[in-house]
Amino acid sequence: MYFLANPTWLKQFQYPYNSAKDIPKSVFEEINQNLDRNISKDPVVSIVIAAWNEEVNILRCIASLSKLKSSIPFEIIVVNNNSTDQTQNTLDQLHIQSLFEEVQGCGSARQLGQENALGKYILMGDADCLYPDCWLDEMISVLSQPEVVCVYGRYSFISESGYPRWKLSIFELMKDIIAEFRHVNRPYFNAYGMSMGYLKEYGLKVGFIKINRRGEDGQLCLDLMKYGKIKQVKAKKARTWTGIRTLRLDGSISGALIIRFFKELRRFFYNLHSRLPENKKPEGKS
């Protein structure tokens, strides 16, 4: 874990643009050159990303995915979930498959993505995340194990002013410890769409919830449990990196820690049971 500083590889994707109109053509050309070298017409893995009003973040995300190092053929599908900004304009200039889902909600967008995916395996990502070049291989190495139907990875926050990396590292360590405890009986509480994979065959059988609320990722994981095992991808080098905007909603790292502490305390005893009743929906991600 990067305790004092962000990993250096992130810098190449932290473009300083505030809107799609600020992105120079040369940036698209460089990303597309990498995409053209790596994207396959006969993919084994489909990377599906839902995007809502992410006109610049989706550029950063795709730029990181364009540099994946893998011998496994893959494709990238981005579903524009009824964005009102210039997200579609950004997507139109990238050499990836883009789809449009008018029904608002990640569940609807991800469902459309998996229905159009060609790969045997689906990896889900978020438009505001950056992915290390080993991410695909590390995820598939676990997902392709016998009886495994779904996997999820871990994530870290990109430090910014007021959110130093050492504080974020402590926060992440505590988060990972809690995830280990939850995984025993309730792994779906750890399954976040920013870094999650599953077999498309079973994903199509259970489908995503179409309600516009958080938790579509955990619900899918829960529904997949009847078909096989859920596993964590623990490799530190495969961690997904995301911004701190969710932490800002809590005011500070301390505020986020307090909120999540009491949230976990409330559902502590639930973690001692095997799983939720069939008609119960998992809570939103923390």
Side-chain angles (χ1 to χ4, degrees):
M1 187 176 292
Y2 295 86
F3 190 78
L4 295 177
N6 295 325
T8 56
W9 64 266
L10 292 177
K11 293 181 180 179
Q12 62 188 309
F13 307 120
Q14 292 178 303
Y15 303 120
Y17 314 118
N18 294 317
S19 67
K21 70 179 187 303
D22 298 329
I23 305 171
K25 185 177 180 180
S26 59
V27 172
F28 286 106
E29 290 175 346
E30 180 181 357
I31 295 172
N32 285 330
Q33 286 177 1
N34 292 326
L35 290 170
D36 292 342
R37 282 194 293 266
N38 291 321
I39 295 296
S40 172
K41 294 181 179 179
D42 187 23
V44 174
V45 177
S46 297
I47 301 173
V48 177
I49 299 167
W52 178 68
N53 290 349
E54 300 282 11
E55 59 184 277
V56 175
N57 278 334
I58 192 60
L59 178 82
R60 300 180 179 118
C61 175
I62 298 303
S64 68
L65 292 173
S66 76
K67 292 197 172 184
L68 288 173
K69 295 180 179 179
S70 178
S71 60
I72 304 172
F74 68 92
E75 66 175 344
I76 300 175
I77 300 173
V78 178
V79 182
N80 178 358
N81 192 198
N82 204 25
S83 297
T84 58
D85 66 352
Q86 294 300 306
T87 292
Q88 190 60 53
N89 182 51
T90 300
L91 296 177
D92 288 343
Q93 297 182 72
L94 293 168
H95 294 178
I96 57 169
Q97 181 181 0
S98 70
L99 304 170
F100 186 85
E101 175 54 64
E102 186 177 8
V103 178
Q104 206 73 56
C106 262
S108 298
R110 297 193 198 281
Q111 180 65 26
L112 179 64
Q114 75 166 354
E115 289 174 355
N116 285 271
L118 298 177
K120 174 182 178 181
Y121 303 103
I122 290 183
L123 295 182
M124 292 199 302
D126 276 356
D128 61 348
C129 292
L130 300 177
Y131 295 86
D133 58 17
C134 65
W135 178 69
L136 186 151
D137 279 359
E138 293 294 336
M139 295 288 282
I140 297 301
S141 68
V142 180
L143 182 55
S144 59
Q145 293 174 8
E147 299 182 21
V148 176
V149 295
C150 181
V151 300
Y152 62 86
R154 294 178 170 178
Y155 64 95
S156 292
F157 292 101
I158 302 171
S159 65
E160 298 179 15
S161 178
Y163 293 80
R165 180 93 276 279
W166 69 269
K167 286 187 177 180
L168 293 171
S169 295
I170 294 172
F171 179 86
E172 291 157 11
L173 178 60
M174 297 177 68
K175 173 173 60 66
D176 292 345
I177 292 172
I178 293 172
E180 284 287 333
F181 176 67
R182 289 194 303 214
H183 181 81
V184 176
N185 289 317
R186 297 183 174 233
Y188 43 81
F189 280 141
N190 297 330
Y192 305 148
M194 66 173 64
S195 184
M196 181 176 168
Y198 59 93
L199 272 71
K200 183 181 71 174
E201 173 188 359
Y202 298 115
L204 289 171
K205 284 183 178 181
V206 300
F208 285 92
I209 57 173
K210 297 294 186 70
I211 304 170
N212 185 13
R213 67 162 175 79
R214 299 171 70 185
E216 85 292 335
D217 37 21
Q219 182 65 49
L220 182 78
C221 181
L222 171 61
D223 293 339
L224 289 172
M225 288 176 70
K226 60 187 174 186
Y227 293 107
K229 298 177 181 177
I230 312 298
K231 285 201 169 185
Q232 297 184 71
V233 177
K234 299 182 181 181
K236 293 181 180 179
K237 61 182 179 180
R239 294 180 79 98
T240 298
W241 288 77
T242 188
I244 59 170
R245 60 183 177 183
T246 57
L247 296 181
R248 281 203 185 102
L249 295 175
D250 300 324
S252 64
I253 297 177
S254 299
L257 182 60
I258 292 171
I259 290 172
R260 284 155 177 78
F261 172 78
F262 283 106
K263 182 177 181 178
E264 292 303 324
L265 189 62
R266 286 196 305 271
R267 64 186 184 188
F268 174 81
F269 290 104
Y270 287 103
N271 291 325
L272 301 178
H273 301 290
S274 59
R275 63 180 69 178
L276 289 175
E278 290 296 322
N279 63 346
K280 190 80 177 290
K281 302 295 185 182
E283 298 174 25
K285 72 178 71 172
S286 54

